[in-house]
């Protein structure tokens, strides 16, 4: 009798089997199930807006731009057989790509006020799981030869594979830019401009390669990084390509604009005030999950799974 237990997240386990002279083999029970479920735990999407207000002799400007702005969920599951024994596989991948720029400018002469404000926001609240399960059992007979005596002997086996994956991404990103000027005297004169931009890419993924009764083992490998901040592409396909198997989470961010810097420099000769503020960034937190697990249980008496079905 042979029993094996395999956890995808721990190590590589090789499955070894014997052989036996089989007269008859019959699969008597098969069971397959697969499910994929997802939900939004918080507000998900993008928002860009702002305001410009001038009172007195002055001007205000606001420019909002967005490049890549997408949230993508790829998930799937497989439960089946390769002819005799069961196989299972699960995948769940969530990616976010957000490229934004907020530019404001203001000028004022004398008594009055100017407000130029803009912001660009993104939120992701994706959670979910992918699960699959396959089981096969069967019976058969083989001959025990002792001299000239041939004795038919029963043999039986069962095998079950399960897999699950999670890759939810919950968080928010924002870029904001505000300029305010207040002139309290006729001699006030001021002008100001600020440009803030950032591209943020993030992913959360779990993926199991085929968990199969007749495999040579399962290797937990490193998930490939998909980040390409210097181009308009975000290679999410590389995460699930080839034989990658495991779980991962990653964030890549880069400031945009001249020299990729945020420069604040304010000058005022009096008779008023100037306020400049800007921020960009974001966080992913509670609710973000990534994982991949697989199990394999085999009970085989007499080499059932090594013999072809007649």
């Amino acid at each position: 009798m042979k029993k094996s237990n395999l956890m995808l997240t721990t190590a590589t386990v090789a499955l070894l089997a014997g052989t036996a002279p089989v007269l008859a083999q019959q699969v008597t029970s098969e069971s397959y199930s697969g499910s994929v479920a997802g939900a939004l735990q918080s507000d998900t999407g993008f928002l860009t807006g702002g305001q410009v207000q001038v009172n007195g002799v002055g001007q205000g400007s606001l420019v909002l731009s967005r490049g890549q702005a997408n949230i993508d969920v790829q998930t799937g599951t497989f439960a089946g057989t390769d002819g005799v024994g069961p196989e299972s596989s699960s995948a769940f991948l969530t990616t976010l790509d957000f490229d934004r720029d907020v530019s404001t400018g203001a000028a004022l002469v004398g008594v009055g006020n100017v407000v130029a404000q803009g912001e660009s926001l993104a939120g992701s609240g994706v959670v979910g799981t992918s699960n699959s399960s396959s089981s096969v059992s069967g019976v058969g007979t083989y001959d025990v030869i002792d001299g000239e005596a041939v004795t038919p002997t029963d043999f039986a086996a069962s095998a079950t594979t399960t897999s699950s994956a999670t890759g939810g991404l919950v968080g928010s990103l924002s870029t904001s830019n505000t300029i305010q000027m207040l002139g309290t005297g006729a001699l006030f004169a001021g002008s100001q401009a600020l440009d803030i931009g950032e591209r943020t890419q993030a992913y959360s993924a779990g993926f199991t390669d085929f968990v199969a009764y007749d495999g040579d083992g399962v290797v937990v490998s490193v998930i490939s990084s998909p980040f390409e901040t210097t181009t308009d592409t975000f290679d999410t396909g590389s995460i699930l390509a080839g034989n990658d198997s495991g779980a991962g989470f990653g964030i890549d961010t880069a400031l945009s604009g001249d020299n990729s810097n945020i420069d604040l420099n304010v000058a005022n000769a009096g008779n008023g005030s100037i306020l400049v503020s800007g921020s960009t960034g974001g966080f992913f937190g509670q609710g973000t999950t990534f994982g991949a697990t697989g199990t394999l249980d085999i009970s085989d008496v007499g080499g059932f799974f090594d013999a072809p079905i007649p």
Side-chain angles (χ1 to χ4, degrees), residues 41 124 127 168-172 249 251 282-290:
Q41 184 169 288
S124 174
V127 295
L169 198 59
V170 179
S172 61
F249 167 77
I251 303 175
F283 298 93
F284 294 94
Q286 186 173 1
T288 297
T289 58
F290 42 98

Side-chain angles (χ1 to χ4, degrees), residues 133-187:
S133 176
S134 301
S135 64
V136 173
S137 62
V139 297
T141 59
Y142 67 99
D143 291 340
V144 175
I145 302 175
D146 184 8
E148 296 182 355
V150 178
T151 304
T153 302
D154 295 333
F155 69 104
S158 65
T160 300
T161 65
T162 63
S163 65
S164 65
T166 60
L169 198 59
V170 179
S172 61
L173 307 171
S174 67
T175 298
S176 63
N177 186 347
T178 300
I179 296 178
Q180 295 181 353
M181 292 187 177
L182 175 63
T184 59
L187 296 179

Side-chain angles (χ1 to χ4, degrees), residues 36 74-77 89-93 129-130 164-166 206-208 240:
V36 174
Q74 301 178 42
T75 183
T77 186
S89 180
S90 299
F92 202 107
L93 166 66
T129 60
S130 174
S164 65
T166 60
F207 174 53
T208 69
L240 302 181

Side-chain angles (χ1 to χ4, degrees), residues 18-20 22 25 155 300-307:
T19 60
V22 176
Q25 178 190 35
F155 69 104
D300 189 348
V301 177
F304 175 89
F305 284 118
D306 301 316

Side-chain angles (χ1 to χ4, degrees), residues 50-69:
Q51 63 171 335
V52 176
Q53 177 182 329
V54 179
N55 180 18
V57 180
Q59 67 177 18
S61 65
L62 171 64
V63 178
L64 302 171
S65 62
R66 238 173 29 193
Q68 299 291 317

